[in-house]
Amino acid sequence: MTKPLQPPTGSALAAEPVITVRGVTKTFGETTALKNASLTVARGEIVVLLGLSGSGKSTLLRHLDGLDRPDTGTVTVLGATVSRLTGRPLRALRGRVGFVFQQFELVGPLTVLENVLTGALFRVRGPRLGLWGYRRELKLAALGHLERVGLLAHAYQRADTLSGGQQQRVGIARALMQNPDILLADEPVASLDPESSAQVMALIREIAIDSDLTVVCSLHQVDLALSWGDRIVGLRHGEVVLDTSTQGLSKQNVMEIYGRVTTSTGELDAIETEIGTVEQNEPEEPVEPDEPDEQDELDLQTFASARDNRR
Ligand SMILES: Nc1ncnc2c1ncn2[C@@H]1O[C@H](COP(=O)(O)OP(=O)(O)OP(=O)(O)O)[C@@H](O)[C@H]1O
């Protein structure tokens, strides 16, 4: 087993742990996706999982939400042993853990607002027909989250008419609908251009700090990881090979650490090109908002006056 080369640092680790992964191994057929992986995350920490494609980042994130189960080892999240939970207790835990996906996972033909409201589905009973099945307070909360991510004007627009960066902001608003304690994000900017990526990452960090969220986010760009996270956990072939504060850490330090755990020049080249570079996706065109209809106008007015009364 390769031990983490640097111990966790930073004052946050003195705080209460909200995530504890101990000795988790997970195999899929012949593939070992995680190998004796351990990790402790304190409340309010902003942690990046860094590694090449196939190094186990998504698998580790999925274990934190109970979507995957370890072959050996334990995963404890918010005091519950996730690997043992099923049914209602598992759903209750998932209600406290928001998930932001690489491909946004929005329902394209639905409006932006309906997509955000699906984040509250675990709190809604009975059938829903469009927006009618949701209580007014939920709609107002969803509009509030859309305002938070800068998309209030697009609330009644079809989700699939938005740009990628805007769709990811809808994904963030949907996760916020859960009032989560923890936010997990799996390569949230992998398909965005550099400008949209920077905006989305800044927004996640800003919201995490404002709302005292704990964040675990997988990325494969070392520059972004260093500038964005409080701490980097580096994975290689399913093993944790690096676990350290980003303070004072340079890209060269990270490359050296990966260099120490690999003897293959080919792999180092891959690390240099894959985690050592920022992707250059094409910049996106801005999207004009649709006009809301009469009922939508009413909801927006109610939202605006409720918000102004709170101020
Ligand atoms: N459900 C599955 N069935 C079979 N193999 C899987 C499954 N999930 C993950 N794997 C394998 O486990 C390994 C780790 O995959 P994982 O998706 O966790 O890596 P990753 O670091 O997130 O990669 P990427 O950056 O490409 O998303 C890979 O070899 C992958 O093919």
Side-chain angles (χ1 to χ4, degrees):
M1 182 196 79
T2 312
K3 282 232 157 60
L5 293 176
Q6 299 193 25
T9 56
S11 58
L13 279 184
E16 176 197 355
V18 288
I19 295 172
T20 310
V21 175
R22 278 215 187 95
V24 165
T25 293
K26 177 72 179 175
T27 51
F28 297 102
E30 299 291 297
T31 308
T32 302
L34 290 175
K35 197 168 168 191
N36 200 19
S38 295
L39 170 71
T40 304
V41 181
R43 187 174 297 281
E45 266 196 296
I46 299 182
V47 176
V48 176
L49 300 181
L50 184 73
L52 287 175
S53 180
S55 58
K57 305 180 297 294
S58 304
T59 306
L60 183 50
L61 284 173
R62 290 170 59 81
H63 275 79
L64 303 183
D65 205 21
L67 292 165
D68 278 339
R69 298 194 173 243
D71 300 336
T72 56
T74 56
V75 178
T76 309
V77 174
L78 297 165
T81 309
V82 190
S83 30
R84 289 202 209 115
L85 295 182
T86 53
R88 191 179 290 191
L90 180 59
R91 283 197 297 278
L93 179 75
R94 284 190 183 144
R96 299 175 66 192
V97 180
F99 215 121
V100 174
F101 303 92
Q102 180 176 338
Q103 297 300 337
F104 326 131
E105 310 293 341
L106 303 184
V107 184
L110 294 186
T111 64
V112 165
L113 180 59
E114 285 168 294
N115 271 281
V116 175
L117 281 162
T118 61
L121 275 180
F122 69 101
R123 281 192 262 156
V124 179
R125 286 180 189 279
R128 288 160 306 279
L129 186 63
L131 292 171
W132 294 102
Y134 294 97
R135 293 193 310 273
R136 172 147 288 211
E137 72 195 60
L138 284 180
K139 281 200 230 171
L140 297 184
L143 289 169
H145 293 310
L146 280 174
E147 187 178 44
R148 181 71 186 82
V149 301
L151 289 178
L152 186 57
H154 295 270
Y156 296 95
Q157 192 162 333
R158 270 176 66 127
D160 55 10
T161 62
L162 298 185
S163 70
Q166 288 171 326
Q167 291 195 38
Q168 192 54 292
R169 286 192 271 151
V170 177
I172 295 167
R174 177 183 55 196
L176 294 178
M177 247 345 252
Q178 296 178 223
N179 295 324
D181 294 288
I182 296 174
L183 190 65
L184 306 177
D186 195 358
E187 302 256 9
V189 295
S191 50
L192 302 183
D193 66 74
E195 195 183 329
S196 307
S197 298
Q199 286 167 358
V200 164
M201 293 310 288
L203 182 68
I204 294 176
R205 192 170 167 97
E206 220 178 85
I207 289 173
I209 291 168
D210 283 357
S211 310
D212 198 21
L213 288 178
T214 306
V215 183
V216 183
C217 173
S218 72
L219 290 173
H220 63 257
Q221 307 98 319
V222 72
D223 297 294
L224 186 58
L226 284 168
S227 62
W228 183 83
D230 295 339
R231 181 175 153 207
I232 292 185
V233 172
L235 288 163
R236 179 180 168 272
H237 300 325
E239 288 187 80
V240 175
V241 294
L242 158 72
D243 186 346
T244 188
S245 161
T246 51
Q247 231 173 8
L249 192 69
S250 69
K251 181 172 165 182
Q252 201 183 342
N253 297 148
V254 176
M255 302 312 284
E256 276 168 16
I257 291 163
Y258 271 95
R260 268 186 266 156
V261 291
T262 181
T263 48
S264 142
T265 328
E267 188 182 346
L268 263 187
D269 288 347
I271 290 166
E272 179 67 47
T273 47
E274 196 177 326
I275 69 174
T277 53
V278 177
E279 273 163 20
Q280 294 296 323
N281 295 320
E282 287 297 307
E284 299 177 63
E285 293 293 319
V287 178
E288 290 299 317
D290 287 346
E291 290 297 318
D293 69 20
E294 221 169 284
Q295 175 59 44
D296 303 340
E297 281 287 4
L298 271 176
D299 283 340
L300 281 172
Q301 281 166 19
T302 313
F303 168 71
S305 59
R307 176 195 54 199
D308 294 343
N309 287 340
R310 277 199 305 272
R311 280 181 180 156

